[in-house]
Amino acid sequence: DTGVSQDPRHKITKRGQNVTFRCDPISEHNRLYWYRQTLGQGPEFLTYFQNEAQLEKSRLLSDRFSAERPKGSFSTLEIQRTEQGDSAMYLCASSWLAGETGELFFGEGSRLTVL
Amino acid sequence: AQSVSQHNHHVILSEAASLELGCNYSYGGTVNLFWYVQYPGQHLQLLLKYFSGDPLVKGIKGFEAEFIKSKFSFNLRKPSVQWSDTAEYFCAVNAGTGRRALTFGSGTRLQVQP
């Protein structure tokens, strides 16, 4: 499968714990995005990378959230001191800059449940 | 800032009925517009997109959408829905350069009854 892959698919944690999600984009894509989706809502933008540079962060991304893409390939999204409000589906997407229309290719998501 | 409104939150249709889902965006400049679909248990997939040229765009599975610049709209249509079209549909927009992340609407849940 050469699509966007995310791991883990589902994470259950207790409030206050740290969690980390990993995303492997489509190999030739140089842009990588993180979105969050809650029930009944559309995906909300969190942050995106072009190669290893983090170019934009949403105001939704509090200090407890950090994302990295150290070598311009896979990315990690870490949430520290999780809260129940962090429960959501975390979506990763990738795209190819040269396309310039911004079409995104999504992974299946990592569902976080904070107890 | 760019934003998207989808006014129909939940639509229930019978098979063979026609479909039109509304999408309005807010952005003053050139835009790229998208419809994504999320079938139950699956990831978001691109249905169709508009970035220039003919404002009537055709996508997969018989869907089409019309970009009406004067109305800031990009409504999705299908003449005859099937049970397999049951899914959640999201409209999305980004600025014409494609250099910003997509902004999504809240989605419309379509339920097609056999």
Side-chain angles (χ1 to χ4, degrees), chain A residues 32-108:
Chain A
L32 187 148
Y33 302 77
W34 286 99
Y35 282 81
R36 180 172 68 186
Q37 186 177 20
T38 53
L39 199 62
Q41 297 298 317
E44 296 174 299
F45 170 71
L46 294 178
T47 188
Y48 90 90
F49 294 84
Q50 183 169 307
N51 300 314
E52 64 274 10
Q54 189 172 18
L55 295 189
E56 188 178 351
K57 290 195 293 186
S58 163
R59 287 172 295 174
L60 291 175
L61 211 66
S62 77
D63 292 344
R64 296 184 297 106
F65 288 69
S66 62
E68 294 182 342
R69 195 183 183 199
K71 298 181 181 178
S73 56
F74 74 90
S75 175
T76 56
L77 176 69
E78 182 184 17
I79 308 174
Q80 296 182 323
R81 305 181 303 281
T82 53
E83 301 173 357
Q84 288 185 324
D86 297 332
S87 295
M89 179 74 85
Y90 290 85
L91 300 172
C92 178
S94 67
S95 71
W96 176 234
L97 175 59
E100 287 294 4
T101 62
E103 177 184 347
L104 302 184
F105 296 80
F106 282 87
E108 301 207 17

Side-chain angles (χ1 to χ4, degrees), chain B residues 81-99:
Chain B
V81 294
Q82 302 173 317
W83 177 78
S84 58
D85 294 324
T86 295
E88 192 140 19
Y89 293 81
F90 296 93
C91 183
V93 64
N94 73 354
T97 61
R99 293 188 180 275

